[in-house]
Amino acid sequence: MKQDNLPKILVLGTGGTVTGTAPNEVSTARYEAGRLALIDLLAGVPALLQYAQLQVETLASIDSKDMHFPLWMQLAERITYAQHDQRVDGVVVLHGSDTLEETAYFLELVLSLAKPLVLVGAMRPSTALSADGPLNLLHAVRLAATPQAQGQGPLVVINQQIFAAREVTKVSAYAIDAFVSPGQGPLARVLDERIYWLRRRYDIPSGPPAVVHLTDVPVDQPWPWVEILTHGVGADARALQALCQSGVNGIVLAGTGLGTLSATVLAGVDAARKAGVAVVRASRCLLGPVLHDIGNDDTQLGMLAAGDLSPQKARVLLLIGLRKGLDQEGLTRLFDQHALLAHLP
Ligand code: ASP
């Protein structure tokens, strides 16, 4: 196909290992993220031009541990603009792998997508022998140029697999097959020239997700402070108390098993709720769900159950709910809709 007729893909860079560089080609752990110019990464993958016309913008060059709320908003606004831009058919976001799942879920919650959106990262820096970034990037661009990528929310492509934003999580600190969708598996696999679709993204039984429009929230409103606390043997309530005394707005408790919490921690939850802090109960297990009023009495304490959301995804949902200014009733509705299986029928 002539270049002019190929889909037009906007590539947005935020940094990460995919544009990381190391002092030598054997280093895959000791490197600096976001050091290679995006254009140089793209220049190393000429095959991209067989699949798309590219427009390239670097929004940031950071390690994704440093991803921050203003950059989230900038990214969301740029992608929103691209939805109305006839010169763009799909968007690819390059992102560090460490917090990629959080950004992907944030974008799912705040955007109404009419065009494919694909997030992509890499586990090995661009200078490594067998760097995985170039192939991941090629797959991301091809996916963003594919009609089947539409209507599935933000997609994540890495290591020849395609995942739904809501389901995906990083499970390895170094391996190139670092991402999984626990209990669900990928949506698709990429092999040579073909994308093999295995299933569509999850469907929320009660209908489509309640999209939180960006315009609902005043730009200058500060972001809430939400932390995750992990429960374990001998956990006590002092961490909860310290956070409450310091002005935290929300806490996600990564409980044991079904999201259970010891009596001591529950006493801390009671105090936190009385101080007006929103509390979500998730599980430190990779596979949920945490069900409302099962394991602990959520109704009595005013806790929200995370359903099948991981603690980090439950935190993103709570951040957005609090930023929107939702009260306990509004938060309950938000979690009812997004935290699947949180309520047994
Ligand atoms: N620390 C890197 C980052 O998240 C890891 C990666 O991209 O794989 O930016």
Side-chain angles (χ1 to χ4, degrees), residues 268-303:
V269 169
D270 192 33
R273 290 292 305 124
K274 286 183 174 134
V277 175
V279 180
V280 176
R281 202 163 59 80
S283 174
R284 66 180 206 184
C285 295
L286 204 51
L287 200 52
V290 171
L291 301 165
H292 186 73
D293 279 343
I294 291 188
N296 286 113
D297 193 342
D298 297 311
T299 305
Q300 194 207 334
L301 285 170
M303 277 190 292

Side-chain angles (χ1 to χ4, degrees), residues 16-18 31 33 62-65 95-99 122-123 170:
T17 298
V18 65
Y31 62 88
I62 57 168
D63 186 305
S64 74
K65 69 180 166 52
H95 197 291
S97 65
D98 290 345
T99 61
M123 293 302 294
K170 181 174 176 178

Side-chain angles (χ1 to χ4, degrees), residues 221-279:
Q221 185 177 305
W223 278 76
W225 176 22
V226 178
E227 294 289 350
I228 299 174
L229 286 179
T230 303
H231 188 63
V233 173
D236 69 28
R238 276 175 295 181
L240 261 171
Q241 281 157 7
L243 283 171
C244 293
Q245 276 159 14
S246 309
V248 80
N249 303 109
I251 297 174
V252 176
L253 292 164
T256 32
L258 286 166
T260 49
L261 305 164
S262 70
T264 323
V265 170
L266 284 173
V269 169
D270 192 33
R273 290 292 305 124
K274 286 183 174 134
V277 175
V279 180

